[in-house]
Amino acid sequence: MWKTIVRRLILMVPQLIALSIIVFVMAKMMPGDPFTGMITPDTDPARIEELKEELGLNDPLPIQYVRWVKNALQGDFGKSYTFQRDVTSLIGERALNTFWLSFVSVILLYLLAIPLGILAGRYQQSRLDKFIVFYSFITYAIPTFVLSLLFLYIFGYKLQWFPTGGSVDIEVEPGTIQYIWNRFYHILLPAITYAILGTTGVIQYLRSEIIDAKTMDYVRTARSKGVPLRKIYTKHILRNSLIPIAAFLGFTITGLLGGSIFIETIFGYPGMGQLFVSSIASRDYSVICALVMLYGFLTLLGSLLSDIILSIVDPRIRIE
């Protein structure tokens, strides 16, 4: 397995190179430049040209790309024109917020989806099963921004149960228990929203696995031996049905990082998703390229992580 993991990691290199070329070229093809929003009637055009020359924005595209790659390999993704900060430190700060949002979302997602999937599979064709299937269809069909805006309006503005923006209140002192709770309090509503939207796949897959497992020979054998039904479900059916769900963890995490773009923007949560949207609006090339490369790397890593988890939980499967 270790040889396969190393080979997959090596294969990521040409994939990331191809992604970097596409991202860099597409970013440069965007209309305008980082200084477009800074131009006013009093702005000296000559000064803008001087800044472009100092930053190398007038150099040929291949030269700019090579310079960007060399710096990126040293951990320097340039400076954000909008925030006037190093891109690495800026993304590192926002990535921590996105990590905690994704972490809480994954926990809530599985806490909600696994029991519903088990109930739907065990009580197939019952009213409970039909209700859960209807729920999963609704959550699959509703757009992310619609549910986010609905929850924000109801629970944020109307009922005022949750904050409507930010990651922590300014007046809370860092390092205290109140600070930890306040951060969790800001995360909770967007995490609940994404968990609800992400349950469909897990519910449907787990339901199908349980229904299929009930017809297997080992289940019939256990029933013929008089094994209690509860024990059959816990020891045989659920154990085998949950194996593929564990493998989904890697894709779930990367999916959350991508989906957080909408969630963070709507809820005003300062994570990588919100940073990505604001960087596109301000033509902040350095931040855009760094974030897309990070998302691409995490997607490839999530695929590998899912294969590794699946091979661990099911010894019959070996990644190739």
Side-chain angles (χ1 to χ4, degrees):
M1 183 175 71
W2 288 108
K3 291 182 179 179
T4 304
I5 293 174
V6 172
R7 184 167 65 249
R8 291 277 295 273
L9 290 173
I10 293 174
L11 286 174
M12 287 183 187
V13 176
Q15 292 173 318
L16 290 174
I17 291 174
L19 177 63
S20 68
I21 295 174
I22 295 172
V23 168
F24 190 84
V25 173
M26 293 296 290
K28 292 297 181 179
M29 289 176 63
M30 292 175 60
D33 55 56
F35 303 104
T36 300
M38 300 169 54
I39 298 177
T40 64
D42 299 328
T43 303
D44 184 5
R47 177 54 184 163
I48 296 295
E49 289 300 321
E50 288 179 7
L51 290 173
K52 290 182 179 180
E53 191 67 31
E54 291 175 5
L55 295 171
L57 297 179
N58 292 330
D59 294 338
L61 201 59
I63 295 177
Q64 293 186 50
Y65 172 75
V66 172
R67 181 170 58 240
W68 176 70
V69 171
K70 286 182 178 179
N71 294 333
L73 292 175
Q74 299 174 4
D76 180 13
F77 286 92
K79 187 175 182 179
S80 169
Y81 306 115
T82 305
F83 295 91
Q84 294 299 308
R85 291 179 54 188
D86 290 336
V87 173
T88 305
S89 63
L90 177 63
I91 293 179
E93 179 183 294
R94 297 297 186 95
L96 186 62
N97 289 338
T98 298
F99 168 79
W100 286 117
L101 174 60
S102 301
F103 179 76
V104 176
S105 298
V106 167
I107 293 177
L108 294 177
L109 189 156
Y110 278 91
L111 286 177
L112 180 62
I114 290 178
L116 292 178
I118 292 172
L119 291 172
R122 180 167 182 175
Y123 302 105
Q124 182 187 5
Q125 299 303 325
S126 66
R127 289 184 179 180
L128 178 60
D129 176 37
K130 292 177 181 179
F131 173 78
I132 294 174
V133 171
F134 176 76
Y135 158 82
S136 64
F137 285 156
I138 292 296
T139 54
Y140 179 77
I142 189 169
T144 301
F145 69 91
V146 172
L147 188 65
S148 300
L149 290 172
L150 183 64
F151 277 17
L152 183 64
Y153 176 74
I154 294 175
F155 300 108
Y157 289 103
K158 277 293 184 181
L159 300 178
Q160 297 184 356
W161 289 356
F162 298 96
T164 57
S167 61
V168 67
D169 292 334
I170 300 176
E171 65 273 9
V172 180
E173 183 179 353
T176 62
I177 297 178
Q178 184 183 3
Y179 180 84
I180 297 173
W181 163 249
N182 195 262
R183 283 184 66 91
F184 176 75
Y185 184 50
H186 281 74
I187 289 172
L188 199 52
L189 185 58
I192 291 173
T193 305
Y194 198 90
I196 291 174
L197 292 169
T199 54
T200 302
V202 178
I203 290 174
Q204 292 297 328
Y205 200 93
L206 184 56
R207 177 180 180 272
S208 299
E209 286 291 316
I210 292 176
I211 292 173
D212 291 341
K214 289 192 295 185
T215 63
M216 294 296 177
D217 292 336
Y218 64 86
V219 175
R220 294 196 188 99
T221 302
R223 285 181 175 176
S224 65
K225 291 182 179 180
V227 179
L229 188 59
R230 178 179 295 181
K231 190 174 182 180
I232 291 176
Y233 270 96
T234 56
K235 188 176 181 180
H236 300 287
I237 296 178
L238 292 182
R239 180 181 295 180
N240 293 314
S241 299
L242 288 172
I243 288 175
I245 301 301
F248 280 167
L249 180 61
F251 290 112
T252 302
I253 294 174
T254 55
L256 281 167
L257 294 175
S260 65
I261 293 176
F262 299 100
I263 297 291
E264 291 177 1
T265 302
I266 292 172
F267 285 97
Y269 184 78
M272 293 194 301
Q274 188 192 57
L275 178 63
F276 185 66
V277 173
S278 64
S279 299
I280 293 176
S282 60
R283 280 90 168 176
D284 205 338
Y285 303 133
S286 300
V287 179
I288 294 172
C289 293
L291 283 174
V292 173
M293 290 301 299
L294 179 59
Y295 281 130
F297 173 73
L298 291 175
T299 300
L300 294 173
L301 193 63
S303 176
L304 177 59
L305 180 62
S306 294
D307 291 340
I308 293 173
I309 294 174
L310 185 58
S311 66
I312 291 175
V313 298
D314 191 351
R316 299 170 298 177
I317 298 175
R318 289 291 178 265
I319 58 175
E320 299 293 342

